[in-house]
Every structure is written in C-alpha cells, then in structure tokens.
Amino acid sequence: MNFIIMLLTMLAAILGANFYVFFRLWHLIPLFTGSRIVLVCIAVFLCSSPLMAMGLGNRFPVSVTSLLYQVGTSWLIILLYLVIIFFVLDIIRLTGVLPLKPFMFNSWSGFGILTLLLVALLTTGNYNYHHKKRVALAIKTEKKISSERSLKIVALSDLHLGYGIDTKEFRKWVHLINKENPDVVLIAGDAVDNSVRPLRERGFTDVFGEIKTKYGIYMVPGNHEYISNIDQSIDFLTRAGVTLLRDSVALINDSFYIIGRDDRSNFKRKTIAEMTASLDESKPTILIDHQPYHLDEVAKYPVDLYLAGHTHNGQTWPVSLITKVMYEISYGYLKKGNTHFYVTSGIGIWGGKFRMGSRSEYVVITIQ
C-alpha cells in the first residue's frame, strides 16, 4: 500500500512538473495555431515515453523501447532543470528584482537564451558521464594474501545495462577493465537495468566473456536485479560467467574471502554476524553490499574492505544534496575501525546520460 501511494505521488509530481514547464513554454515561444499543435504533440510524446518504455517496453521491439527509454529518461532530467530555471525566473519576475517579463512572454530571444543554457548544461553532463574517472585506492593490511605481495581489484557498480546502455558502450568499459589486468573484478549490484530481455537479445553474455581476470567476476544483486525479476537476472548473470553471491562467501585461492550480501530488497537476508561467524580472521575479507547502510555494524566485524554503490553520488545536482543527507557516506572513501569503506558513483547510469555534479567511474583497488 505504501509503495502504491509513493508511486502515485511520484507520478503526480512528474505530471505537475510537465504541466508547469509546458505552460511556461506555451507563453515563452511566439506561437501560431499550427505550432501550438506541434508543441502539444511534443508534450504528449515526452510525457508518455518514459511510462511506455518502463511499463510496456517488453511488448515493443528492443529498438523501439530503447528509443522511448533514452528519450523519455533524458527528458526527465531536462524537466528537472527546466522546473528549476522557470521557478527561479518566476520568483525574480514576481518580486520585480529584474525586468524579465519581456524575455518570458512571446520572446524568441528568451527562448534562444534558455536553449543555449540547456545545451551547455547537458553537454557538460554528457561529457561527465562518458569520460570515466579512474579512481585508484591503495589499502594496506597486516594480513597475508597467500604468497602474493598484493591483490589488484577492479570494482564496479550500477552498470544498468539494457535499453539505455548497449553492447558497444559496455565493450568500451571492458577495455578499461582489461587494461588494468586485475586479479578479480567485483560488481556491487545493478548490472541489469529494468529488464533482462535486451541483455539476452543483444548478446551481452559474449561481452561479459571478454573480461579477463585471474580469479573471475563476483557480484551481489542490487535492487534493479529484483526490479527486472531476480530469477531471470540470476539466470542471465550465470550464463554470462558472473559468480553471483547472495548472502554467501567465496574463499579465493585459499587466500582471501569475498562476502556477497543480498540486496535490501530481500527482507530475510542474513546478518553480517551470520556471514562472518565461521571465517578465518587471519585472511583478508572483502564485503560487497549494494546499498551503503549501517556502516557502524559492518565495522564491528572482521571486514577489511567494504564496497557499495547504489547512490550514483546523486547522479545530478541537486539530487546529490539529497543522497548526502540519506547516507552516512553517499560517495567516496571512509575508514571506521579496521574497515576501509568505499562507495562508488558507478560506471553506468540510470536513464539519460547526463551527470551534473558527479562523474561515472571505475575503482582500481590494491590491497598490499
């Protein structure tokens, strides 16, 4: 019931924002009868495309759904900034601080300035998304990693592969991973976006097979693996050669542990105490958990490295301000006790490919 109320509230907010923005555009652009019809058609398409992509997407051809998804989710981000811009302009106009009325009603110059501002903003956001940041993190431990002097990890999160991100883009990420020559690749959830179907039909399993590691690829489920049907997600990831850890532990080369915690979507998931109870504390232990909650609890147990994602570091400003309030650490490095924590902003993205105030990244971790 709470979920339905939250969903209806969110839909009402999106529809209200669309009405406000198109009401403002209606008065901003000098229009005649034909162009008004065009504006209404554009409004209907932009408002409905994200709903059709996410609600009915699996009924359309993959190429059609991909178009609806990319247009619709990009519009949601553009909508956010248009609401902010128009709201600020309305406040300035109504308070009379600046004479903005000539630029807000029947004004091609006002529309041109608004367009240039949006283009500059979105170009910057798209650049921040596509130019992946390489984060290097060195961790020292007194624990011995077998006969090896160090362990090299490439950590990823929030790939969101599917209708928005195709195999061509994913293959570029694989190239970045392979350049590092990692011992192991760890994925902190949300490899799948909102459906497994495009991953199956577009041959993503083959691209996963191109990742070269010494010990393999280990992953925990994220909330999007549940959104896209957890059983189908498990089947796809298994076929792709990914070892999915759901409240389970892998002992690698008799040298170090990888604990994979199931996502909070599973209300019956194990506690950290249960998963660490039988471990040899002389061996390094890495815990992967999609959503970074209750870090104090993690620090009580023999966990040397904790990896999480989910937050996207807000993805776009001002959402980043909200994630900073929601989580003890919404992005970056933190040390508590003997545990090193890292929450990554993710290499992929949900929806439109724009990052304002954040960067897409992959993390190269060396444990010495």
Side-chain angles (χ1 to χ4, degrees):
M1 187 66 180
N2 289 336
F3 174 76
I4 294 174
I5 293 172
M6 183 177 71
L7 182 63
L8 291 175
T9 302
M10 185 170 62
L11 288 173
I14 292 172
L15 289 174
N18 273 284
F19 177 81
Y20 173 63
V21 164
F22 281 104
F23 175 80
R24 279 269 137 255
L25 289 173
W26 183 278
H27 289 284
L28 172 63
I29 306 170
L31 296 171
F32 49 90
T33 303
S35 59
R36 289 182 187 276
I37 295 172
V38 171
L39 182 62
V40 170
C41 292
I42 291 172
V44 170
F45 175 69
L46 292 177
C47 291
S48 62
S49 55
L51 299 176
M52 288 192 293
M54 288 180 271
L56 303 171
N58 286 341
R59 300 184 181 184
F60 304 137
V62 171
S63 57
V64 173
T65 303
S66 293
L67 176 63
L68 291 172
Y69 179 91
Q70 292 181 54
V71 170
T73 56
S74 295
W75 169 245
L76 291 177
I77 295 172
I78 296 169
L79 178 67
L80 170 65
Y81 285 100
L82 282 174
V83 167
I84 293 172
I85 291 169
F86 280 129
F87 180 76
V88 171
L89 291 176
D90 275 336
I91 293 296
I92 294 173
R93 177 177 62 85
L94 292 172
T95 55
V97 176
L98 293 173
L100 293 181
K101 188 174 180 179
F103 294 95
M104 295 182 67
F105 294 87
N106 296 313
S107 173
W108 283 118
S109 58
F111 178 70
I113 293 169
L114 176 65
T115 301
L116 289 174
L117 179 60
L118 275 178
V119 168
L121 189 65
L122 297 175
T123 300
T124 302
N126 187 254
Y127 179 91
N128 288 340
Y129 166 72
H130 281 292
H131 290 74
K132 309 301 180 187
K133 180 181 178 182
R134 180 188 185 273
V135 176
L137 182 63
I139 293 173
K140 291 185 178 181
T141 177
E142 295 180 1
K143 299 178 181 180
K144 188 178 180 182
I145 308 175
S146 186
S147 58
E148 300 176 8
R149 298 179 63 184
S150 65
L151 177 70
K152 191 174 186 181
I153 302 165
V154 170
L156 312 169
S157 184
D158 300 278
L159 286 70
H160 290 281
L161 306 173
Y163 290 121
I165 297 171
D166 59 18
T167 52
K168 182 179 178 181
E169 187 171 352
F170 182 37
R171 190 168 270 113
K172 291 179 182 179
W173 305 352
V174 171
H175 177 69
L176 294 175
I177 295 168
N178 290 340
K179 276 177 62 178
E180 300 294 338
N181 192 28
D183 293 313
V184 65
V185 171
L186 305 179
I187 303 176
D190 282 5
V192 184
D193 189 31
N194 64 333
S195 174
V196 175
R197 177 198 173 204
L199 278 70
R200 288 173 173 163
E201 294 189 16
R202 288 180 163 179
F204 275 88
T205 52
D206 296 335
V207 186
F208 270 103
E210 296 172 12
I211 298 175
K212 296 179 175 61
T213 76
K214 187 175 182 179
Y215 298 124
I217 308 167
Y218 293 83
M219 176 181 158
V220 295
N223 57 305
H224 276 258
E225 271 72 45
Y226 279 89
I227 289 170
S228 58
N229 187 302
I230 187 63
D231 292 329
Q232 292 182 22
S233 297
I234 291 170
D235 179 70
F236 166 77
L237 291 164
T238 302
R239 291 174 183 273
V242 177
T243 301
L244 194 67
L245 300 176
R246 300 180 69 197
D247 287 345
S248 55
V249 182
L251 176 59
I252 311 298
N253 194 35
D254 197 31
S255 303
F256 62 97
Y257 294 107
I258 300 174
I259 304 174
R261 198 171 191 200
D262 205 351
D263 186 64
R264 284 163 57 89
S265 304
N266 176 6
F267 299 116
K268 297 181 180 179
R269 66 176 183 168
K270 291 182 180 179
T271 64
I272 297 171
E274 290 174 315
M275 290 187 289
T276 57
S278 60
L279 302 187
D280 179 354
E281 294 187 17
S282 68
K283 291 181 169 61
T285 300
I286 301 165
L287 172 62
I288 320 174
D289 187 8
H290 180 60
Q291 302 186 45
Y293 287 99
H294 308 302
L295 305 189
D296 285 332
E297 180 187 357
V298 177
K300 295 176 184 177
Y301 298 95
V303 175
D304 298 282
L305 174 63
Y306 172 96
L307 295 171
H310 182 65
T311 68
H312 295 218
N313 192 19
Q315 192 163 309
T316 58
W317 186 92
V319 181
S320 54
L321 301 179
I322 299 172
T323 58
K324 284 181 180 178
V325 173
M326 288 178 62
Y327 303 95
E328 179 180 357
I329 173 173
S330 63
Y331 171 69
Y333 172 81
L334 176 71
K335 187 176 182 184
K336 277 180 171 287
N338 294 318
T339 304
H340 301 267
F341 293 85
Y342 193 85
V343 179
T344 173
S345 61
I347 194 169
I349 207 165
W350 180 88
K353 296 176 182 179
F354 309 103
R355 278 186 177 268
M356 273 69 85
S358 69
R359 289 278 298 277
S360 291
E361 67 176 31
Y362 60 102
V363 190
V364 180
I365 304 170
T366 305
I367 301 179
Q368 298 175 328

